[in-house]
Amino acid sequence: MINLTIDGKKYQAEEGQTILEVANRHGIFIPTLCVDEAVSAYGACRLCMVEIERKGRKKLVASCLYEVEEGLAVSTQNERIANIRKTVIELLLARCPQSEGVQAMAKKLGVTCSRFESEKPENLCTLCALCTRVCSEVVGKSAISLVSRGTSREVALPYYEDKTDCIACGSCAYICPTGAIKMEDGNGMRTITWPNCQVSFNLSAVPSAAPNGFPKNRSSIS
Amino acid sequence: MINTAIKKFNSVAELEAKRQEILKDRNSQKTVIAICCGTGCQAYGAKKVADAFEEELSKAGLGDKVEVRTTGCHGFCERGPLVVIRPQNIFYQRLKISDIPEIIEKTIKNNEVIERLLYVDPMTKDKKVHEHDVPFYKKQMRLVFGNNGNIDPTSIDDYLAVGGYKSLAKAISGLKPEEIVEEVIKSGLRGRGGGGFPTGWKWKSCRDAHDPVKYVICNCDEGDPGAFMDRSLMEGNPHSVIEGMIIGAYAIGSHEAYIYIRDEYPMAVKHALLAIKQAEDYGLLGENILGSGFDLKIHINRGGGAFVCGESTALMASLEGKVGEPRAKYVHTSEKGLHDKPTTLNNVETWANIPLIIEKGADWFNKIGTEGSKGTKIFSLVGKVNNTGLIEVPMGITLREIVYDIGGGIPKGKKFKAIQTGGPSGGCLPESMLDLPVDFDELTKAGSMMGSGAMIVMDEDNCMVEIARYFLSFLEGESCGKCVPCREGVKRMRQILERITKGEGEEGDIELLEQLSQAIQDASLCALGGSAPNPVLSTIKYFRDEYEAHIRQKTCPAKECKALITYNIIDANCPGCGLCYKACPTGAIISQGKKMPVILDQSKCTKCGACFDACKLHAVEIR
């Protein structure tokens, strides 16, 4: 077991756990918008920055990525951290003012409006990359990815149209915290809509299963 | 034709025998015409000058007696094409093909100096005959970069002739890997790529990491506007970099190395590939190097031209074939780097320093420089300065010495305003900081940084708000977009700066910029975002009055921001000569006939400044 302190209180953690995991387990609030236990940590939203002290030196780290170590001292609140949280959430509010996920987080952080003007109010995507991570890490497909860099970065299918790898599972829509990805079933069709592309699939009936659990026509296959 | 088999050296003694053979063949009194064929001089036509020399020499029957050597960059790009005639060291500049017959006739045949081709010191009007007397070179200490002008980068024999691979021989035959690491630690060498981390300690932690597979990487992904030292070193003396890498790999215990070069540097790629092949042929690289039993393979990887790929973790992701995006470095790359294996990544210039340290010793090396920064540093000196080019100076030299003694001051008698050190994410330092010694820690304390070593000089015509806006817009375009503060924050800072330069700045903008800067510095994932606010913070710190003038008085003191200036005709000075009329592309100037002042129609004026440049009588003013 590893001994550490968070905001002055002593805690124990297992090796390999991140600061965020330990804090979550003990009900200490650290805001995040790009973390989900289903996928690996990424460190993109930077809301979860905390200050650590090691060998007398202080530095700011992303708690979702930093693994705990013996004697670590963590502070989850101070002026610099508050400035980061406020700035990041204001930047995201300006990026996607209508996103309920962002609005809820802003409210939690006591931020009601952004000092920056919104340029594309209909945009819902914060580029947290949960969708692309779940597609590659959980589904094992990488049917979508983040294309381009900087402010022109976006989620898209290869060449904005190649749906070859998509299996229409909808994991991306399920994990999306902002509602930027939509999935609709109806009339025998499933349609998934990302901010920049859309695919439709025919839904086909799965052959009903025999009592042994195998499809009825299995014997004819083998 | 049967290829003469290249001799592969199986021992240090065989290498030394070859060196003696090369030196014996070379008559030190033989005339060598060394022509700078670095990228800058080539743009001026240096290759054609070299061809013309060859042709004229063979016409004169001197083909065997005089050697034409196309070398790497000599540094003084401002004055290219450059030629140095050795052994006398006669320095000719701005050569044309038509000058060549005269040089052969007078200088080569009769040892006469041609005055009109010499460099004239703009301060004293003295003509300088020898390269070492030219003020640009005089204050330099070209330890790493000096051989660039002596050797043909495509010839390994040239490199051997100046003592190349001596350090490798010394390291591999006489020193234990641990001793090499200790020597590098003792030398005090700090990484030349920007961060300035102690090289030896980096090597030590990689050497100590428990993994049989380790990698060595040379970072030649140079993307800073105005920086070209890595390029020139890789183009002009690739063997010095490779020799450093072999020594490093031996010290760390690595058998596989990569050189990551931007694809925009084709000559660097070509010369590095050739140098690797030559070193392999000689048994200096590959299996059983010089009979020592140590193996090393060096690969070349061409980068796609993303600025962020110069960042070590992004570079490694790119090397692995993934998108070049940085990741958190909480576990050092010296423990988990490329393919999660211990990796030592150093910049081109850092690697090129290694042979020197091994050859001359850590004690010799750390006598040069300051307490915290040892050795020399290569800078690219560009912008509003008379002598632009690459300079190598001892650490601790002052900015004033760089700008005035080496750089020759500011052109057209203008006033110095600021110098940006460290490339786009460095800070702008004002005149009051000119006596600051150039040193990793001093620059950081002043709100700037060493960075890659790009130095951009600005004069009174540069608006500092506009400069900050320019660099932020570069960084906005180069941000990978992974983390919010860098992607969204830098964009917002650029927008605020843009508003200010357009005269739409508001009270509170400066404070908002400062507060955004703090959050971006604190929260960004990598150094691109972490240092992006530097140009803004440093210009606010040293030139706050300019920001205030833009915001409150809606004026641009440097008269650069187009939205805040107007061009006007001073009637008393204008004889109606029509020069401005001809220069104006939009028809904004209306002639009222000869001897009558022209009229400038503000509604048509696009503020291009053509009339201002055209007028010789100072009849156009900027308000």
Side-chain angles (χ1 to χ4, degrees), chain A:
Chain A
M1 289 302 257
I2 287 168
N3 298 294
L4 71 156
T5 64
I6 302 178
D7 296 332
K9 279 175 83 177
K10 286 181 183 162
Y11 295 96
Q12 283 200 322
E14 287 159 36
E15 200 160 327
Q17 278 187 314
T18 61
I19 296 172
L20 183 68
E21 281 167 349
V22 179
N24 278 350
R25 179 160 299 181
H26 294 97
I28 300 160
F29 174 65
I30 295 177
T32 62
L33 274 177
C34 72
V35 175
D36 191 296
E37 58 182 14
V39 294
S40 62
Y42 188 61
C45 77
R46 317 305 283 173
L47 275 173
C48 73
M49 298 297 288
V50 295
E51 190 173 76
I52 57 161
E53 193 174 334
R54 266 180 76 219
K55 295 171 193 161
R57 292 176 68 178
K58 286 182 179 178
K59 75 174 178 186
L60 289 157
V61 298
S63 62
C64 68
L65 291 165
Y66 199 96
E67 290 181 11
V68 292
E69 56 211 39
E70 188 61 37
L72 188 74
V74 182
S75 321
T76 68
Q77 313 249 7
N78 66 26
E79 207 181 311
R80 279 166 85 187
I81 294 169
N83 182 36
I84 292 170
R85 291 178 184 176
K86 181 171 167 350
T87 309
V88 165
I89 203 69
E90 280 191 56
L91 289 168
L92 287 177
L93 264 182
R95 184 187 163 85
C96 17
Q98 290 167 29
S99 159
E100 282 172 23
V102 175
Q103 284 170 359
M105 180 57 77
K107 208 172 162 189
K108 252 189 195 169
L109 297 175
V111 173
T112 47
C113 65
S114 174
R115 285 168 289 178
F116 312 107
E117 215 172 292
S118 179
E119 291 162 339
K120 235 173 109 187
E122 72 283 5
N123 182 31
L124 288 172
C125 177
T126 62
L127 295 172
C128 67
L130 280 169
C131 54
T132 59
R133 277 182 281 160
V134 80
C135 187
S136 74
E137 293 173 19
V138 180
V139 186
K141 279 296 185 189
S142 298
I144 47 169
S145 61
L146 288 158
V147 297
S148 214
R149 69 169 178 237
T151 40
S152 37
R153 189 175 169 95
E154 52 195 11
V155 176
L157 288 162
Y159 308 105
Y160 292 91
E161 58 182 24
D162 182 3
K163 57 169 190 177
T164 327
D165 287 331
C166 182
I167 57 166
C169 68
S171 302
C172 52
Y174 179 75
I175 206 168
C176 177
T178 65
I181 303 174
K182 291 182 180 63
M183 184 173 75
E184 279 170 7
D185 288 347
N187 297 335
M189 295 282 282
R190 166 167 290 183
T191 303
I192 303 177
T193 311
W194 297 281
N196 305 291
C197 342
Q198 189 177 59
V199 290
S200 293
F201 294 85
N202 284 319
L203 293 173
S204 51
V206 177
S208 53
N212 62 5
F214 292 111
K216 273 177 187 162
N217 55 356
R218 189 171 183 271
S219 56
S220 64
I221 296 169
S222 56

